[in-house]
Structures are given as structure tokens and as C-alpha cells.
Amino acid sequence: MDPNFLEKLKSLEIPTCLRICCGTDGSVTFLLEIMTRRPVNVETESQFVRRADREEAALLGVKEGSEVNDRTVRLYADDTVFAHAKSLSPLERMPQTMRDQLMRADIPIGRILRDHGLETRRDMDKLEILEGKTSFGDVPVLSRTYKIVHKNSVLMWINEEFPIDERWKL
Amino acid sequence: MDPNFLEKLKSLEIPTCLRICCGTDGSVTFLLEIMTRRPVNVETESQFVRRADREEAALLGVKEGSEVNDRTVRLYADDTVFAHAKSLSPLERMPQTMRDQLMRADIPIGRILRDHGLETRRDMDKLEILEGKTSFGDVPVLSRTYKIVHKNSVLMWINEEFPIDERWKL
């Protein structure tokens, strides 16, 4: 864990459950399910395969032009959205069955990793507050970026945005 | 994740932060630090190397008589104890530097794993409420057992007990 990430997170005056969700090094879906005690569902906003540009290739540690899965989803507990998540996953690093799950259906990433029994670690990168027009309209968001690492390579790059408001009083 | 573990956890009428801590598939120390916004420290109650008996050997997937590190600690945020944790770790599976950290000092397991950049998964096993005389005196505890898996072998077997009371209103 980058000590700056942790210190920054601890300094924020935000609801405890939001801080936990934004700081966890475990599965967010699973955490939301425990927090809310409601079933958590994924709604896919977009999902397609494309070629990595130079910057993305550097981020993921693959060759420029490699195929990546680009997925954007919202995580719901019942009717309430708790997170907006974007992921980039190099296809060449993914077992075929995992690729199918990721590309086909509204399955949370935590569940996909768990179904495949993958051993991973999550390396936190950036944490910031965004205001103005966000993925939650006029509501400011806490945005974090991290990588899911498997076999010392980036399996997924993930950006999550969490709305900063009262929905986290759980 | 065992669906029974999750359903059982969701059904309990306990403070949200306690449910989160007992359910996380990430690092407990790190989570406590985010929750409490206070520095979290480990106090070692006992730590020694001994031979695994038949039952422990089966649990860990090693030969009977193999050396295991047996460690019992309490996790504090400032002066408040939040967890009582017992771990069994087969020495033969552990890199030397990790063995040194585990055996020598009051370093949390989450930090040890992170320092070594290990990719792991946590397989939840048992969840139960214990009453009567517990590791927290007369306070009932929520007890959970899980394994930290690395390279498809059990790196650590862990039992954690969390007191069920008001200290989780964070």
C-alpha cells in the first residue's frame, strides 16, 4: 500500500463506509453486499474490445495495439448506485473462460476472480476528489485507480468512482 | 466465497463495521486503520515454532510433524483492541525474509504479505458467535476462520475473534 494513499484516505471527512469502500484491498462488490445487506448487481454501460493506445499499453505493460477489454459498469445495491467502475483488461493475459465471463454478462469482477480461484494483489495508485460534472451528475465523487496484479503482470486496470453523499450512512 | 458464509454474515444484527471487518477478503489491519483513522498496532501474546499434529497437518496440507509458526496477537487502534487473531503458518512455504518478519516482531500479517508483494486469495471457512468466557472476557465474539492461499497451497490458517459490542460504532 502506498503510504500516501492511506494517509490521504484517513484525512478525508467522509462517511466511514465510503472510506472503507474506497480503501479496500479486497473485492468491492463483496464489500458492498456485506455493508448494505442487500444483493449487489452490476449494470453494464458499455463493453467492447479495442486496441490499446500507447499510453494504455504502458499502463498495462502490453504492446501498443494489443487487444484490451474496455468495460464500464455501475454497481447497485437494490435500486441505489454505489459505484461507477471502468476497467481495462489485456485479453492475452486472461484464461478463456474468464474472458467469456468478462465480455458476456453482468458479472462483478470480484466474482469472476473468485470463480477462477485466482491469486492476486491490488496495487493502489491514485486517489482524488472530483467535482463539477461527474459520473453521478452534480454529486462530487471520490475516484481511485488501482491495478489487479496476477503472476506479476497487470490483469486489470480499474478506476472506481464513489458518490460523496449520504447514501453511505449504513 | 462460500455463499453460506456470506448469507450468515448478512443475517447478523451487529454493527456495520463489525460485519465488514469479519467479512473482508482483504487485509484486516489495513481495514481497521481506514475505519478508525487511528494507527493500528499488533501486540504479540505468544509466538513459537512447533511441530504440526495430525489435524493441523491436514488443515495446512503439510506432513505431520512439519514445522509451523504458531502466533497469537491482538490488534489495537490506539488503546482499543479490535481483534484477537491466531495464525498457523507452515515454515517450509515461507520465503526466509517473510519468516523472519513473522517470527521476530509485531508486524501485521497484511503488511508482511504486502511487503513481499505476494499474490494471494483468502478462502473463508467458518463463521460463528461464541459466548461465555471468550478472548474478550465476558463479551461475546464473532469468530471466523479462513486460509490465505498462495501458489495453491495454504500459506496461513487464521482464526480471528472480534468483540460484539459498541466499539464498532465508528
Side-chain angles (χ1 to χ4, degrees), chain A residues 1 10 12-13 16 19-20 23 25-27 30 33-35 37 114 117 119-121 151-152 170, chain B residues 1 10 12-13 16 19-20 23 25-27 30 33-35 37 114 117 119-121 151-152:
Chain A
M1 184 63 47
K10 281 166 75 180
L12 298 173
E13 295 299 332
T16 301
R19 187 164 41 246
I20 292 169
D25 57 351
S27 154
F30 179 61
E33 190 136 348
I34 301 171
M35 271 183 183
R37 304 172 76 181
R114 186 155 292 281
E119 298 167 9
T120 56
R121 62 169 209 268
K151 293 189 174 164
N152 287 315
L170 295 165
Chain B
M1 184 63 48
K10 282 165 73 179
L12 298 173
E13 296 298 332
T16 301
R19 186 163 40 245
I20 291 169
D25 58 352
S27 153
F30 179 62
E33 190 136 349
I34 301 171
M35 269 182 183
R37 305 172 75 183
R114 185 155 293 279
E119 299 167 8
T120 56
R121 60 169 212 269
K151 292 190 175 164
N152 287 315

Side-chain angles (χ1 to χ4, degrees), chain B residues 81-98:
Chain B
V81 190
F82 280 91
H84 179 267
K86 188 175 161 60
S87 62
L88 289 180
S89 319
L91 288 193
E92 66 197 51
R93 300 226 171 104
M94 214 155 279
Q96 185 62 49
T97 52
M98 191 168 159

Side-chain angles (χ1 to χ4, degrees), chain B residues 32-48:
Chain B
L32 279 173
E33 190 136 349
I34 301 171
M35 269 182 183
T36 62
R37 305 172 75 183
R38 290 179 279 168
V40 171
N41 292 305
V42 169
E43 200 179 277
T44 305
E45 283 190 356
S46 68
Q47 185 273 311
F48 53 100

